[in-house]
Amino acid sequence: MKTLLLLPFLLTTVLFAQMRERPTVEQLFSVQTIKVQKKKVSHTKKNYGYVVADGSRIYDISPRFGGYVEKLYADKIYMYVKKGQSLVTLYSPEVYKAKEDYLNSYNYTKGRTSKGMLRSAKRKLELLGIDAKEIADVLKKQRPSRTTTIYAPVSGYIFAKNIVKGAAFNAKSKLFEIVDLDSVWVEAKIFEEDVLWIKNADDFELHFKTTPKIYKTKTKYLYPSLNPKEATLTMRLTLKNKDHTLFLGMYANVISKDKAQTYLTLPRSAVIRKDNKYYAFMVGEYEGEYEPIEVHVKPLDNKTYIVLDGLGEGDEVVNNALFMMDSDAQINGLY
């Protein structure tokens, strides 16, 4: 037989019922009830990070030939250039000689069926990285141009400039570094104990001091290297940055969310603890009857418990009179 807890003053209730329409238990004793319900939630963690260049959008301009700078168009560090824009005009004896060979091969094979020499001469210019239009102009104008021009392969900012007007350079010298900021990375520090949790996270929000915009991404990558001094790993997030609001070095607050899961829940006010056990008071069969039920719970947040055992979805329990219920139960030795 189940032990039921009757609310005090039940006799008074009967007397009042004879005088007027009987009020509800909630009206008499301010007893509020709540049902065990499913709740879909995700957890969050906060880390910090910094904006860095997207490694796939960094371009080095390193000619495959040596020469001399004649005109320098990209003459300022951090200057923005568009794809196809002239960066520098050079004179290279090697390139000039290759152009002459191409023209001579064309004239030599003009009336011949074999064009192998011509194809080889053109291929040499292509391998030197000469622009296709410049190669075509050799035959179109029937004379090789003395200079050659290097154009920006992408739109972006000049982050490195290693030449000045009149400078000489060798083959493989890095003349420019162009960084495309249409997409950037944020590298966030993750503590070792949070790595497993982060692997299950699938939603990230990033906040920056310089803009009210909230950036969201699902693209992540954990670097396979631990910093032994800090006991942290680096997580890389990719952000779209078409408006160039974000610049390298900016500080970011990174809020990560794990995959949402469904739990049976009760508010903390519906559960009390006694002798290292947790109890809820389930609504009984008759009005005014409540049964103390032992439940197994664990915290979901500072206002909610996850119900692991003891109650099912839809079960109705007392929400707002736990102190009174607990006191009366203890007095009567019900649990």
Side-chain angles (χ1 to χ4, degrees):
M1 179 181 296
K2 294 184 178 179
T3 302
L4 297 179
L5 173 62
L6 293 175
L7 286 173
F9 314 118
L10 191 57
L11 180 60
T12 306
T13 302
V14 175
L15 295 175
F16 273 114
Q18 296 174 354
M19 299 173 60
R20 62 175 183 268
E21 182 181 353
R22 180 171 177 167
T24 65
V25 174
E26 285 78 13
Q27 290 173 326
L28 283 170
F29 303 108
S30 298
V31 176
Q32 297 177 357
T33 61
I34 191 170
K35 291 183 178 181
V36 179
Q37 56 185 313
K38 288 183 177 179
K39 190 174 183 181
K40 193 173 184 179
V41 296
S42 60
H43 302 86
T44 62
K45 285 185 181 290
K46 186 176 181 180
N47 299 89
Y48 69 91
Y50 295 92
V51 178
V52 300
D54 183 333
S56 65
R57 293 174 178 264
I58 300 174
Y59 300 85
D60 283 351
I61 310 301
S62 302
R64 300 169 185 175
F65 51 85
Y68 305 87
V69 176
E70 295 221 343
K71 291 183 179 179
L72 185 59
Y73 306 105
D75 58 352
K76 298 179 182 66
I77 194 73
Y78 302 125
M79 174 182 174
Y80 184 78
V81 295
K82 293 183 178 180
K83 182 178 180 178
Q85 182 176 330
S86 299
L87 298 177
V88 61
T89 295
L90 312 164
Y91 166 66
S92 169
E94 182 181 358
V95 174
Y96 183 68
K97 177 67 166 55
K99 289 178 181 178
E100 284 187 321
D101 291 345
Y102 180 48
L103 181 59
N104 291 336
S105 297
Y106 173 77
N107 292 330
Y108 178 77
T109 60
K110 189 180 295 185
R112 300 173 185 270
T113 56
S114 176
K115 302 292 184 182
M117 181 184 295
L118 180 63
R119 286 194 296 270
S120 295
K122 182 179 182 181
R123 184 62 175 160
K124 182 176 181 179
L125 287 170
E126 290 173 342
L127 291 174
L128 286 171
I130 306 307
D131 184 71
K133 183 179 180 301
E134 194 170 309
I135 295 174
D137 282 345
V138 173
L139 302 185
K140 182 179 179 180
K141 297 179 179 178
Q142 281 295 294
R143 61 181 178 84
S145 59
R146 190 179 67 85
T147 59
T148 189
T149 300
I150 294 178
Y151 303 92
V154 294
S155 297
Y157 295 87
I158 303 290
F159 268 74
K161 182 183 74 70
N162 300 317
I163 53 173
V164 295
K165 293 179 182 178
F169 61 92
N170 298 318
K172 304 178 185 178
S173 297
K174 178 179 172 179
L175 306 187
F176 302 99
E177 180 183 270
I178 298 176
V179 180
D180 176 9
L181 294 182
D182 283 359
S183 172
V184 295
W185 290 343
V186 171
E187 292 185 342
K189 298 297 182 182
I190 306 298
F191 291 107
E192 191 173 0
E193 59 267 24
D194 292 335
V195 170
L196 183 60
W197 189 89
I198 284 292
K199 285 183 177 179
N200 294 321
D202 65 347
D203 193 13
F204 300 88
E205 287 187 359
L206 293 96
H207 302 257
F208 299 88
K209 295 180 180 179
T210 54
T211 174
K213 180 179 178 180
I214 298 174
Y215 290 79
K216 296 183 178 182
T217 184
K218 294 180 179 292
T219 307
K220 68 176 178 183
Y221 180 74
L222 276 175
Y223 292 165
S225 178
L226 176 73
N227 183 330
K229 293 182 179 179
E230 300 178 354
T232 60
L233 281 88
T234 299
M235 176 177 66
R236 185 178 76 204
L237 302 173
T238 302
L239 301 182
K240 293 180 179 178
N241 187 37
K242 291 287 186 180
D243 57 0
H244 295 181
T245 302
L246 304 179
F247 291 101
L248 307 189
M250 281 185 174
Y251 178 86
N253 284 316
V254 181
I255 299 175
S256 51
K257 299 180 182 179
D258 64 359
K259 296 177 182 178
Q261 298 184 54
T262 301
Y263 304 98
L264 283 178
T265 63
L266 275 177
R268 283 181 178 253
S269 59
V271 179
I272 58 174
R273 183 179 180 183
K274 181 177 184 296
D275 297 331
N276 292 322
K277 295 181 180 181
Y278 292 88
Y279 295 88
F281 293 88
M282 191 162 70
V283 175
E285 182 178 356
Y286 301 102
E287 190 170 22
E289 295 178 343
Y290 298 90
E291 178 184 1
I293 299 291
E294 183 181 350
V295 293
H296 296 100
V297 296
K298 70 175 183 179
L300 176 62
D301 53 42
N302 60 355
K303 294 183 179 180
T304 311
Y305 278 124
I306 297 172
V307 179
L308 301 175
D309 190 27
L311 292 169
E313 183 181 9
D315 286 346
E316 191 172 2
V317 300
V318 174
N319 184 36
N320 71 329
L322 294 181
F323 179 79
M324 179 186 71
M325 303 294 284
D326 183 38
S327 299
D328 192 76
Q330 290 187 64
I331 292 170
N332 291 281
L334 294 178
Y335 75 99

